[in-house]
Amino acid sequence: AFRPKNASAIRALEETLDPADFARIQQASMGKILEKAIDAPGKGTGRITDIFKPENLKSALDAYGDDTLEAMFGSETKYEKFNGGRSW
């Protein structure tokens, strides 16, 4: 369900599912975004700045689009909130 430009399907899913089930989907979806922002060198010996790539996070968020992010996570967590007003 959590795919780029898929806001209407996400909204329909939220209306259909129990809130606890939808919360699990939200957690899995957040994990999916964060996986794209991490470039682990393999053995955990890298610095956080070598592992976390803000540009990858921005790219992942941009790919999903504001509408999809808002449908999945609500207006409190959509792109502008992730971005914190910074331009990356």
Side-chain angles (χ1 to χ4, degrees), residues 76-87:
E76 292 297 312
T77 318
K78 69 180 190 177
Y79 177 74
E80 291 85 21
K81 299 294 182 182
F82 271 112
N83 193 10
R86 294 181 301 257
S87 51

Side-chain angles (χ1 to χ4, degrees), residues 24-25 42 60 63:
R24 284 191 282 281
I25 292 172

Side-chain angles (χ1 to χ4, degrees), residues 24-71:
R24 284 191 282 281
I25 292 172
Q26 285 177 309
Q27 289 174 341
S29 300
M30 182 64 72
K32 194 173 177 180
I33 290 173
L34 293 176
E35 281 177 7
K36 294 178 183 190
I38 296 172
D39 186 17
K43 298 195 180 197
T45 58
R47 297 176 306 195
I48 189 69
T49 54
D50 294 335
I51 297 169
F52 179 73
K53 304 294 184 187
E55 63 278 0
N56 292 3
L57 175 61
K58 182 184 181 319
S59 177
L61 294 172
D62 287 345
Y64 283 99
D66 288 344
D67 229 20
T68 299
L69 292 171
E70 186 169 341

